[in-house]
Structures are given as structure tokens and as C-alpha cells.
Amino acid sequence: RRIDVIVTVFSLVPMMLVGTRRLAVMHERMARESARVMPIATTEMPFEFPVMRQMLQYHSSRAEDSGLTWLRAAITTEVLRTALPG
């Protein structure tokens, strides 16, 4: 594996592909949405790839913080909404 570009925000990856022959592995939905607005191509992985897991990390002393409580609920709601068929 050769790494040509490092970005600080994952959503910048598609922009780093435009006009190059670079490859990137990213979430399918992000790849498809990016391909709608940028001149990049998408394809299926040619081999089995482990599922990418997103995680939220915070200090236990902030577990009852109203902002974090809202954020956890919003993420959970969105995951359930997009993960279920239909």
C-alpha cells in the first residue's frame, strides 16, 4: 500500500481524487454522493472488506451532558433510519 495524500477530514478524500489516478476506500454512500457532484468514478471492492465502524468517544464525566445526550440520540436515530430497508 502506498499513501499519496493524508487529509484531516474524511470528507476531503473525494476532492483529492479529482483529476488524478488515485484510489480511495470510503463509505459507499459518501462515494456515490461525491460522484454525483465531482468527476470521479465508483466501483465495488474487488475483494471482501471488513465493515467500517463509526464510534463516538467522550469522557464518562460528560455522559449526562445535554449536548452529548442529544448528539448520541441524533446519531442513533440516523443510523437506524438509514440502516433499515425502505
Side-chain angles (χ1 to χ4, degrees), residues 39-84:
I40 60 174
T42 64
T43 188
E44 298 293 321
M45 293 287 290
F47 51 86
E48 195 65 32
F49 194 80
V51 174
M52 293 178 135
R53 265 177 75 186
Q54 298 286 335
M55 302 180 102
L56 175 66
Q57 181 177 344
Y58 55 91
H59 193 276
S60 59
S61 67
R62 308 284 285 170
E64 301 305 318
D65 179 277
S66 59
L68 279 175
T69 301
W70 173 86
L71 180 60
R72 288 193 311 265
I75 290 171
T76 301
T77 299
E78 187 64 14
V79 166
L80 293 173
R81 183 184 74 76
T82 59
L84 299 175

Side-chain angles (χ1 to χ4, degrees), residues 18-49:
V18 175
T20 74
R21 294 179 50 84
R22 292 187 181 109
L23 298 174
V25 175
M26 65 177 58
H27 296 285
E28 181 179 5
R29 192 174 337 155
M30 178 182 277
R32 288 180 192 225
E33 287 298 315
S34 297
R36 287 180 53 226
V37 297
M38 292 180 223
I40 60 174
T42 64
T43 188
E44 298 293 321
M45 293 287 290
F47 51 86
E48 195 65 32
F49 194 80

